[in-house]
Amino acid sequence: MFMEKLVRETERLSLICSMFDTMRRADQDRDARGWTSPIGLLKITRSCAMISELATAIAKAGYRECDRQTLEEILGETRQVLYALRAQATG
């Protein structure tokens, strides 16, 4: 159960952050919108928080649904997304 939700949320985060999706949402001047907007940044942050919550639930369950290395890789990627967001916000 947790693993299925984690996979869905990770896929959703991937879709939000994908360049294809960003270009699809570009305006007539080819300026990207979507994930770079305040609402988009909030959606990414929310998705990262949900991934963290699901990973915590899996860890508390004893990794029955997911091996530890896979979970750590997913969380590592999520952290990188958050670091990139923070860099964008402060830069």
Coordinates of all heavy atoms in Angstrom, one line a residue:
M1 N 0.8 -1.2 0.0 CA 0.0 0.0 0.0 C 0.9 1.3 0.0 O 0.7 2.1 -0.8 CB -0.9 0.0 1.2 CG -1.8 1.2 1.2 SD -3.0 1.2 2.6 CE -2.0 1.7 4.0
F2 N 1.8 1.4 1.0 CA 2.6 2.6 1.0 C 3.5 2.7 -0.2 O 3.7 3.8 -0.7 CB 3.5 2.6 2.3 CG 2.8 2.7 3.6 CD1 2.9 1.8 4.6 CD2 1.9 3.8 3.8 CE1 2.2 1.9 5.8 CE2 1.3 4.0 5.0 CZ 1.4 3.0 6.0
M3 N 4.0 1.6 -0.7 CA 4.9 1.6 -1.8 C 4.2 2.1 -3.1 O 4.7 2.8 -3.8 CB 5.5 0.2 -2.0 CG 6.6 0.2 -3.0 SD 8.0 1.2 -2.4 CE 8.8 1.5 -4.0
E4 N 3.0 1.6 -3.3 CA 2.2 2.0 -4.4 C 2.0 3.5 -4.4 O 2.1 4.2 -5.4 CB 0.9 1.3 -4.5 CG 1.0 -0.2 -4.8 CD -0.3 -0.9 -4.6 OE1 -1.3 -0.3 -4.3 OE2 -0.3 -2.2 -4.8
K5 N 1.6 4.1 -3.2 CA 1.4 5.5 -3.1 C 2.7 6.3 -3.3 O 2.7 7.3 -3.9 CB 0.9 5.8 -1.7 CG -0.6 5.4 -1.5 CD -1.0 5.8 -0.1 CE -2.4 5.3 0.2 NZ -2.9 5.6 1.6
L6 N 3.8 5.7 -2.8 CA 5.1 6.3 -2.9 C 5.5 6.4 -4.4 O 5.9 7.4 -4.9 CB 6.2 5.6 -2.2 CG 7.6 6.1 -2.2 CD1 7.7 7.5 -1.7 CD2 8.6 5.2 -1.5
V7 N 5.3 5.3 -5.1 CA 5.6 5.3 -6.6 C 4.7 6.3 -7.3 O 5.2 7.1 -8.2 CB 5.4 3.9 -7.2 CG1 5.4 3.9 -8.7 CG2 6.4 3.0 -6.6
R8 N 3.4 6.4 -7.0 CA 2.5 7.4 -7.7 C 3.0 8.8 -7.4 O 3.0 9.6 -8.3 CB 1.1 7.2 -7.2 CG 0.4 6.0 -7.9 CD -1.1 6.1 -7.7 NE -1.6 6.2 -6.3 CZ -1.8 5.2 -5.5 NH1 -1.7 3.9 -6.0 NH2 -2.2 5.3 -4.3
E9 N 3.3 9.1 -6.2 CA 3.7 10.4 -5.8 C 5.1 10.8 -6.4 O 5.3 11.9 -6.9 CB 3.8 10.6 -4.3 CG 3.8 12.0 -3.8 CD 2.6 12.9 -4.3 OE1 1.5 12.3 -4.4 OE2 2.8 14.1 -4.5
T10 N 6.0 9.8 -6.5 CA 7.3 10.1 -7.1 C 7.1 10.3 -8.6 O 7.7 11.2 -9.2 CB 8.2 8.9 -6.9 OG1 8.3 8.6 -5.5 CG2 9.6 9.1 -7.5
E11 N 6.2 9.6 -9.3 CA 5.9 9.8 -10.7 C 5.3 11.2 -10.9 O 5.6 11.9 -11.8 CB 4.9 8.7 -11.2 CG 5.6 7.4 -11.4 CD 4.6 6.3 -11.7 OE1 3.4 6.5 -11.6 OE2 5.1 5.2 -12.1
R12 N 4.4 11.6 -10.0 CA 3.8 12.9 -10.1 C 4.8 14.0 -9.9 O 4.8 15.0 -10.7 CB 2.7 13.1 -9.0 CG 1.8 14.3 -9.1 CD 0.7 14.2 -8.1 NE 1.0 14.9 -6.9 CZ 1.0 16.2 -6.7 NH1 0.7 17.0 -7.7 NH2 1.3 16.7 -5.5
L13 N 5.7 13.9 -9.0 CA 6.8 14.9 -8.9 C 7.6 14.9 -10.1 O 8.0 16.0 -10.6 CB 7.7 14.5 -7.6 CG 8.9 15.4 -7.4 CD1 8.4 16.9 -7.1 CD2 9.7 14.9 -6.2
S14 N 7.9 13.8 -10.7 CA 8.7 13.7 -11.9 C 8.0 14.4 -13.0 O 8.6 15.2 -13.8 CB 9.0 12.3 -12.3 OG 9.6 12.2 -13.5
L15 N 6.7 14.2 -13.2 CA 5.9 14.9 -14.2 C 5.9 16.4 -14.0 O 6.1 17.2 -14.9 CB 4.5 14.4 -14.2 CG 3.6 15.0 -15.2 CD1 4.1 14.7 -16.6 CD2 2.2 14.5 -15.1
I16 N 5.7 16.8 -12.8 CA 5.7 18.3 -12.5 C 7.0 18.9 -12.9 O 7.0 20.0 -13.5 CB 5.4 18.5 -11.0 CG1 4.0 18.1 -10.6 CG2 5.6 20.0 -10.7 CD1 3.7 18.1 -9.1
C17 N 8.1 18.2 -12.6 CA 9.5 18.8 -12.9 C 10.0 18.6 -14.3 O 11.1 19.1 -14.6 CB 10.4 18.3 -11.9 SG 10.1 18.7 -10.2
S18 N 9.3 17.8 -15.1 CA 9.9 17.5 -16.4 C 10.0 18.7 -17.3 O 9.1 19.5 -17.3 CB 9.1 16.3 -17.0 OG 7.9 16.8 -17.5
M19 N 11.0 18.7 -18.1 CA 11.2 19.8 -19.1 C 10.1 19.8 -20.1 O 9.6 20.8 -20.6 CB 12.5 19.7 -19.7 CG 13.7 20.2 -18.8 SD 13.4 21.9 -18.1 CE 13.5 22.8 -19.6
F20 N 9.7 18.6 -20.5 CA 8.6 18.4 -21.5 C 7.4 19.1 -21.0 O 6.7 19.8 -21.8 CB 8.4 16.9 -21.8 CG 7.3 16.7 -22.8 CD1 7.5 17.0 -24.2 CD2 6.0 16.3 -22.4 CE1 6.4 16.8 -25.1 CE2 5.0 16.1 -23.3 CZ 5.2 16.4 -24.6
D21 N 7.0 18.8 -19.8 CA 5.8 19.4 -19.2 C 6.0 20.9 -19.1 O 5.0 21.7 -19.4 CB 5.5 18.8 -17.8 CG 4.2 19.3 -17.3 OD1 3.2 19.1 -18.0 OD2 4.1 19.8 -16.2
T22 N 7.2 21.4 -18.8 CA 7.4 22.8 -18.7 C 7.2 23.5 -20.0 O 6.6 24.5 -20.1 CB 8.8 23.1 -18.1 OG1 8.9 22.5 -16.8 CG2 9.1 24.6 -18.0
M23 N 7.8 22.9 -21.1 CA 7.7 23.5 -22.4 C 6.3 23.4 -22.9 O 5.8 24.3 -23.6 CB 8.6 22.8 -23.4 CG 10.1 23.0 -23.0 SD 10.5 24.8 -22.7 CE 10.2 25.5 -24.3
R24 N 5.5 22.4 -22.5 CA 4.1 22.2 -22.9 C 3.3 23.4 -22.4 O 2.4 23.9 -23.0 CB 3.6 20.9 -22.5 CG 2.2 20.6 -22.9 CD 1.7 19.2 -22.5 NE 1.7 19.0 -21.1 CZ 0.8 19.4 -20.2 NH1 -0.3 20.0 -20.7 NH2 0.9 19.2 -18.9
R25 N 3.7 23.8 -21.2 CA 3.0 24.9 -20.5 C 3.5 26.3 -20.8 O 3.1 27.3 -20.3 CB 3.0 24.7 -19.0 CG 2.4 23.4 -18.6 CD 2.4 23.4 -17.1 NE 2.0 22.1 -16.6 CZ 1.7 21.8 -15.4 NH1 1.6 22.8 -14.5 NH2 1.4 20.6 -15.0
A26 N 4.5 26.4 -21.7 CA 5.1 27.7 -22.1 C 4.1 28.6 -22.7 O 3.2 28.2 -23.4 CB 6.3 27.5 -23.0
D27 N 4.3 29.9 -22.5 CA 3.4 30.8 -23.1 C 3.8 31.1 -24.5 O 4.7 30.5 -25.0 CB 3.3 32.1 -22.3 CG 4.6 32.9 -22.2 OD1 5.6 32.6 -23.0 OD2 4.8 33.7 -21.3
Q28 N 3.1 32.0 -25.2 CA 3.4 32.3 -26.6 C 4.8 32.8 -26.9 O 5.3 32.6 -28.0 CB 2.4 33.2 -27.2 CG 2.4 34.6 -26.6 CD 1.5 34.8 -25.4 OE1 1.1 33.8 -24.8 NE2 1.2 36.0 -25.1
D29 N 5.5 33.4 -25.9 CA 6.9 33.8 -26.0 C 7.9 32.7 -25.6 O 9.0 33.0 -25.5 CB 7.1 35.1 -25.2 CG 6.2 36.2 -25.7 OD1 6.1 36.4 -26.9 OD2 5.8 37.0 -24.8
R30 N 7.4 31.5 -25.4 CA 8.2 30.4 -25.0 C 8.8 30.5 -23.6 O 9.8 29.9 -23.3 CB 9.3 30.1 -26.0 CG 8.9 29.7 -27.3 CD 8.6 28.2 -27.2 NE 8.6 27.5 -28.5 CZ 7.9 26.5 -28.6 NH1 7.1 26.0 -27.7 NH2 7.9 25.8 -29.8
D31 N 8.2 31.4 -22.8 CA 8.7 31.5 -21.4 C 8.0 30.4 -20.6 O 6.8 30.2 -20.7 CB 8.3 32.9 -20.8 CG 9.1 34.0 -21.4 OD1 10.2 33.8 -21.8 OD2 8.5 35.1 -21.6
A32 N 8.8 29.7 -19.9 CA 8.3 28.5 -19.1 C 7.4 29.0 -18.0 O 7.6 30.1 -17.4 CB 9.4 27.7 -18.6
R33 N 6.3 28.3 -17.8 CA 5.5 28.6 -16.6 C 5.2 27.2 -16.0 O 6.0 26.3 -16.2 CB 4.2 29.3 -16.9 CG 3.8 29.5 -18.3 CD 2.5 30.2 -18.4 NE 1.7 29.4 -19.3 CZ 0.6 28.7 -19.0 NH1 0.1 28.8 -17.8 NH2 -0.1 28.0 -19.9
G34 N 4.3 27.1 -15.2 CA 4.0 25.8 -14.5 C 4.8 25.7 -13.2 O 4.5 26.4 -12.3
W35 N 5.8 24.8 -13.2 CA 6.5 24.6 -12.0 C 7.3 25.7 -11.5 O 7.6 25.8 -10.3 CB 7.4 23.3 -12.1 CG 8.6 23.5 -12.9 CD1 8.7 23.2 -14.2 CD2 9.9 23.9 -12.4 NE1 10.0 23.5 -14.6 CE2 10.7 23.9 -13.5 CE3 10.4 24.3 -11.2 CZ2 12.1 24.3 -13.5 CZ3 11.7 24.6 -11.1 CH2 12.6 24.6 -12.2
T36 N 7.6 26.7 -12.3 CA 8.3 27.9 -11.9 C 7.4 28.9 -11.2 O 7.9 29.9 -10.6 CB 9.1 28.6 -13.0 OG1 8.1 28.9 -14.1 CG2 10.1 27.6 -13.6
S37 N 6.1 28.8 -11.3 CA 5.2 29.7 -10.7 C 5.1 29.4 -9.2 O 5.4 28.3 -8.7 CB 3.8 29.6 -11.3 OG 3.2 28.3 -10.9
P38 N 4.6 30.4 -8.4 CA 4.4 30.1 -6.9 C 3.6 28.9 -6.7 O 3.9 28.1 -5.8 CB 3.8 31.4 -6.4 CG 4.2 32.4 -7.4 CD 4.3 31.7 -8.7
I39 N 2.5 28.7 -7.4 CA 1.6 27.5 -7.2 C 2.4 26.3 -7.6 O 2.3 25.2 -6.9 CB 0.3 27.6 -8.1 CG1 -0.5 28.8 -7.6 CG2 -0.4 26.3 -8.0 CD1 -1.1 28.6 -6.2
G40 N 3.2 26.3 -8.7 CA 4.0 25.1 -9.1 C 5.0 24.8 -8.0 O 5.2 23.6 -7.7
L41 N 5.7 25.8 -7.5 CA 6.6 25.5 -6.4 C 6.0 24.9 -5.2 O 6.5 24.0 -4.6 CB 7.4 26.8 -6.1 CG 8.3 27.4 -7.2 CD1 8.8 28.7 -6.7 CD2 9.4 26.4 -7.6
L42 N 4.8 25.4 -4.9 CA 4.0 24.8 -3.8 C 3.7 23.4 -4.0 O 3.8 22.5 -3.1 CB 2.8 25.7 -3.5 CG 1.9 25.2 -2.3 CD1 2.7 25.3 -1.0 CD2 0.7 26.1 -2.3
K43 N 3.2 23.0 -5.3 CA 2.9 21.7 -5.6 C 4.1 20.8 -5.5 O 4.0 19.6 -5.0 CB 2.3 21.6 -7.0 CG 0.9 22.1 -7.2 CD 0.5 22.0 -8.6 CE -0.9 22.5 -8.8 NZ -1.4 22.5 -10.2
I44 N 5.3 21.2 -5.9 CA 6.5 20.4 -5.8 C 6.8 20.2 -4.3 O 7.1 19.1 -3.9 CB 7.7 21.1 -6.5 CG1 7.4 21.1 -8.0 CG2 9.0 20.4 -6.2 CD1 8.4 21.9 -8.9
T45 N 6.8 21.2 -3.5 CA 7.1 21.1 -2.1 C 6.1 20.2 -1.4 O 6.5 19.3 -0.6 CB 7.0 22.5 -1.4 OG1 8.0 23.4 -2.1 CG2 7.4 22.4 0.0
R46 N 4.8 20.3 -1.8 CA 3.8 19.4 -1.2 C 4.1 17.9 -1.6 O 4.0 17.0 -0.8 CB 2.4 19.8 -1.7 CG 1.3 18.9 -1.1 CD 0.0 19.2 -1.7 NE -1.0 18.3 -1.3 CZ -1.2 17.1 -1.8 NH1 -0.4 16.7 -2.8 NH2 -2.1 16.3 -1.4
S47 N 4.5 17.7 -2.8 CA 4.8 16.4 -3.3 C 6.0 15.8 -2.6 O 6.0 14.6 -2.2 CB 5.0 16.4 -4.8 OG 5.2 15.1 -5.3
C48 N 7.0 16.6 -2.4 CA 8.2 16.2 -1.6 C 7.8 15.8 -0.2 O 8.3 14.8 0.3 CB 9.3 17.2 -1.7 SG 10.1 17.4 -3.3
A49 N 7.0 16.6 0.4 CA 6.6 16.3 1.8 C 5.8 15.0 1.8 O 6.0 14.2 2.8 CB 5.7 17.5 2.3
M50 N 4.9 14.8 0.9 CA 4.2 13.5 0.8 C 5.1 12.3 0.6 O 4.9 11.3 1.3 CB 3.1 13.6 -0.3 CG 2.2 12.3 -0.2 SD 0.8 12.5 -1.4 CE -0.3 13.5 -0.4
I51 N 6.1 12.5 -0.2 CA 7.1 11.4 -0.4 C 7.8 11.1 0.9 O 8.0 9.9 1.3 CB 8.1 11.7 -1.5 CG1 7.3 11.7 -2.9 CG2 9.3 10.8 -1.5 CD1 8.1 12.3 -4.0
S52 N 8.2 12.1 1.6 CA 8.8 12.0 2.9 C 7.9 11.2 3.9 O 8.4 10.3 4.6 CB 9.3 13.3 3.4 OG 9.9 13.2 4.7
E53 N 6.7 11.6 4.0 CA 5.7 11.0 4.9 C 5.6 9.5 4.5 O 5.5 8.7 5.4 CB 4.4 11.7 4.8 CG 4.4 13.1 5.5 CD 3.0 13.8 5.3 OE1 2.0 13.1 5.1 OE2 3.0 15.0 5.4
L54 N 5.4 9.2 3.3 CA 5.3 7.8 2.8 C 6.5 7.0 3.1 O 6.4 5.9 3.6 CB 4.9 7.7 1.4 CG 3.5 8.2 1.0 CD1 3.4 8.4 -0.5 CD2 2.5 7.3 1.5
A55 N 7.7 7.6 2.9 CA 8.9 6.9 3.2 C 9.1 6.6 4.7 O 9.5 5.5 5.1 CB 10.1 7.7 2.7
T56 N 8.7 7.6 5.5 CA 8.7 7.4 6.9 C 7.8 6.2 7.3 O 8.1 5.4 8.2 CB 8.3 8.7 7.7 OG1 9.3 9.7 7.3 CG2 8.3 8.5 9.2
A57 N 6.6 6.2 6.8 CA 5.6 5.1 7.1 C 6.2 3.8 6.7 O 6.1 2.8 7.4 CB 4.3 5.4 6.4
I58 N 6.9 3.7 5.5 CA 7.5 2.5 5.1 C 8.6 2.0 6.0 O 8.7 0.9 6.4 CB 8.0 2.6 3.6 CG1 6.9 2.7 2.6 CG2 8.9 1.4 3.3 CD1 7.3 3.1 1.2
A59 N 9.4 3.0 6.4 CA 10.5 2.7 7.4 C 10.0 2.2 8.7 O 10.5 1.2 9.3 CB 11.4 3.9 7.6
K60 N 8.9 2.8 9.2 CA 8.3 2.4 10.5 C 7.7 1.0 10.3 O 7.7 0.3 11.3 CB 7.3 3.4 10.9 CG 7.8 4.7 11.5 CD 6.8 5.6 11.9 CE 7.3 6.9 12.5 NZ 6.3 7.8 12.9
A61 N 7.3 0.6 9.1 CA 6.7 -0.7 8.9 C 7.8 -1.8 8.8 O 7.5 -2.9 8.7 CB 5.8 -0.7 7.7
G62 N 9.0 -1.3 8.8 CA 10.1 -2.3 8.7 C 10.6 -2.6 7.3 O 11.1 -3.7 7.1
Y63 N 10.4 -1.8 6.4 CA 10.8 -2.0 5.0 C 10.2 -3.2 4.3 O 10.8 -3.8 3.5 CB 12.3 -2.0 4.9 CG 13.0 -0.8 5.4 CD1 13.6 -0.8 6.7 CD2 13.1 0.4 4.6 CE1 14.2 0.4 7.1 CE2 13.7 1.5 5.1 CZ 14.3 1.5 6.3 OH 14.9 2.6 6.8
R64 N 9.0 -3.6 4.8 CA 8.4 -4.8 4.2 C 8.1 -4.6 2.7 O 8.1 -5.5 1.9 CB 7.2 -5.2 5.0 CG 7.5 -5.8 6.3 CD 6.3 -6.3 7.0 NE 5.3 -5.3 7.3 CZ 5.3 -4.7 8.5 NH1 6.1 -5.0 9.4 NH2 4.4 -3.8 8.7
E65 N 7.7 -3.4 2.4 CA 7.2 -3.1 1.0 C 8.3 -2.6 0.1 O 8.1 -2.5 -1.1 CB 6.1 -2.1 1.0 CG 4.9 -2.6 1.7 CD 3.7 -1.6 1.6 OE1 3.4 -1.2 0.4 OE2 3.2 -1.2 2.6
C66 N 9.5 -2.3 0.6 CA 10.5 -1.6 -0.2 C 11.9 -1.9 0.5 O 12.0 -1.8 1.7 CB 10.2 -0.1 -0.2 SG 11.4 0.8 -1.1
D67 N 12.9 -2.1 -0.3 CA 14.2 -2.3 0.4 C 14.8 -0.9 0.8 O 14.5 0.1 0.2 CB 15.1 -3.1 -0.5 CG 15.5 -2.4 -1.8 OD1 14.8 -2.5 -2.8 OD2 16.5 -1.7 -1.8
R68 N 15.7 -1.0 1.7 CA 16.2 0.3 2.3 C 17.0 1.1 1.2 O 16.8 2.3 1.2 CB 17.1 -0.1 3.4 CG 17.7 1.1 4.2 CD 18.6 0.7 5.3 NE 19.0 1.9 6.0 CZ 18.8 2.1 7.3 NH1 18.2 1.1 8.0 NH2 19.1 3.2 7.9
Q69 N 17.7 0.5 0.4 CA 18.5 1.2 -0.6 C 17.6 2.0 -1.6 O 17.9 3.1 -1.9 CB 19.4 0.3 -1.4 CG 20.3 1.0 -2.4 CD 21.2 0.0 -3.2 OE1 21.2 -1.1 -2.9 NE2 21.8 0.6 -4.2
T70 N 16.5 1.3 -2.0 CA 15.6 2.0 -2.9 C 15.0 3.2 -2.3 O 14.9 4.3 -2.9 CB 14.5 1.0 -3.4 OG1 15.1 -0.1 -4.0 CG2 13.5 1.7 -4.3
L71 N 14.6 3.0 -1.0 CA 13.9 4.1 -0.3 C 14.9 5.3 -0.1 O 14.5 6.4 -0.3 CB 13.5 3.6 1.1 CG 12.5 4.4 1.8 CD1 11.2 4.7 1.0 CD2 12.1 3.8 3.1
E72 N 16.2 5.0 0.2 CA 17.2 6.0 0.4 C 17.4 6.8 -0.9 O 17.6 8.0 -0.9 CB 18.4 5.4 1.0 CG 18.3 5.1 2.4 CD 19.5 4.4 3.0 OE1 20.5 4.2 2.2 OE2 19.5 4.0 4.2
E73 N 17.4 6.0 -2.1 CA 17.6 6.7 -3.4 C 16.4 7.6 -3.7 O 16.6 8.7 -4.2 CB 17.8 5.6 -4.4 CG 19.1 4.9 -4.4 CD 19.2 3.7 -5.4 OE1 18.3 3.6 -6.3 OE2 20.1 2.9 -5.2
I74 N 15.2 7.2 -3.4 CA 14.1 8.0 -3.6 C 14.1 9.3 -2.8 O 13.9 10.4 -3.3 CB 12.7 7.2 -3.4 CG1 12.5 6.2 -4.4 CG2 11.5 8.2 -3.3 CD1 11.4 5.2 -4.1
L75 N 14.5 9.1 -1.5 CA 14.6 10.3 -0.6 C 15.7 11.2 -1.0 O 15.6 12.4 -0.9 CB 14.7 9.8 0.8 CG 13.4 9.2 1.4 CD1 13.7 8.6 2.8 CD2 12.3 10.3 1.5
G76 N 16.8 10.6 -1.5 CA 17.9 11.4 -2.0 C 17.5 12.3 -3.1 O 17.9 13.5 -3.2
E77 N 16.8 11.7 -4.1 CA 16.3 12.5 -5.2 C 15.4 13.6 -4.8 O 15.4 14.7 -5.3 CB 15.7 11.6 -6.3 CG 16.6 10.7 -7.0 CD 17.6 11.4 -7.8 OE1 17.3 12.4 -8.5 OE2 18.8 11.0 -7.9
T78 N 14.5 13.3 -3.9 CA 13.6 14.3 -3.3 C 14.3 15.4 -2.7 O 14.0 16.6 -2.9 CB 12.6 13.6 -2.3 OG1 11.9 12.5 -3.0 CG2 11.5 14.6 -1.8
R79 N 15.3 15.1 -1.9 CA 16.1 16.2 -1.3 C 16.8 17.1 -2.3 O 16.8 18.3 -2.2 CB 17.2 15.6 -0.4 CG 16.7 15.2 1.0 CD 17.8 14.8 2.0 NE 18.6 13.7 1.5 CZ 18.3 12.4 1.7 NH1 17.2 12.1 2.4 NH2 19.1 11.5 1.3
Q80 N 17.3 16.5 -3.4 CA 17.9 17.2 -4.5 C 16.9 18.2 -5.1 O 17.3 19.4 -5.4 CB 18.5 16.3 -5.5 CG 19.7 15.6 -5.1 CD 20.8 16.5 -4.5 OE1 21.2 17.5 -5.1 NE2 21.4 16.1 -3.4
V81 N 15.7 17.8 -5.3 CA 14.6 18.7 -5.8 C 14.4 19.8 -4.9 O 14.4 21.0 -5.3 CB 13.3 17.9 -6.1 CG1 12.2 18.8 -6.3 CG2 13.5 16.9 -7.2
L82 N 14.3 19.5 -3.6 CA 14.1 20.6 -2.6 C 15.3 21.6 -2.5 O 15.1 22.8 -2.4 CB 13.8 20.0 -1.2 CG 12.5 19.4 -1.1 CD1 12.4 18.6 0.3 CD2 11.3 20.4 -1.2
Y83 N 16.5 21.0 -2.6 CA 17.7 21.9 -2.7 C 17.7 22.8 -3.9 O 18.0 24.0 -3.8 CB 19.0 21.1 -2.7 CG 19.3 20.3 -1.4 CD1 20.0 19.1 -1.5 CD2 18.7 20.6 -0.2 CE1 20.3 18.3 -0.4 CE2 19.0 19.9 1.0 CZ 19.7 18.7 0.9 OH 20.0 18.0 1.9
A84 N 17.3 22.3 -5.0 CA 17.2 23.1 -6.2 C 16.1 24.2 -6.1 O 16.4 25.3 -6.5 CB 16.9 22.2 -7.4
L85 N 15.0 23.9 -5.5 CA 14.0 24.9 -5.2 C 14.5 26.0 -4.3 O 14.3 27.1 -4.6 CB 12.7 24.2 -4.6 CG 11.9 23.3 -5.5 CD1 10.7 22.8 -4.7 CD2 11.4 24.1 -6.7
R86 N 15.2 25.6 -3.3 CA 15.7 26.6 -2.4 C 16.7 27.5 -3.1 O 16.7 28.7 -2.9 CB 16.3 25.9 -1.1 CG 16.8 26.9 -0.1 CD 17.3 26.3 1.1 NE 18.5 25.4 0.9 CZ 19.0 24.6 1.7 NH1 18.5 24.4 2.9 NH2 20.0 23.9 1.4
A87 N 17.6 26.9 -3.9 CA 18.6 27.7 -4.6 C 17.9 28.7 -5.6 O 18.3 29.8 -5.7 CB 19.5 26.8 -5.4
Q88 N 16.8 28.2 -6.2 CA 16.1 29.1 -7.1 C 15.4 30.2 -6.4 O 15.4 31.4 -6.8 CB 15.0 28.3 -7.9 CG 14.3 29.1 -8.9 CD 13.2 28.3 -9.6 OE1 13.2 27.1 -9.6 NE2 12.3 29.0 -10.3
A89 N 14.9 29.9 -5.2 CA 14.2 30.9 -4.4 C 15.1 32.0 -3.8 O 14.8 33.2 -3.7 CB 13.4 30.3 -3.3
T90 N 16.3 31.6 -3.5 CA 17.3 32.5 -2.9 C 18.2 33.2 -4.0 O 18.8 34.2 -3.7 CB 18.2 31.8 -1.9 OG1 18.9 30.8 -2.5 CG2 17.4 31.3 -0.7
G91 N 18.2 32.6 -5.2 CA 19.0 33.2 -6.3 C 18.4 34.1 -7.1 O 18.0 35.1 -7.2

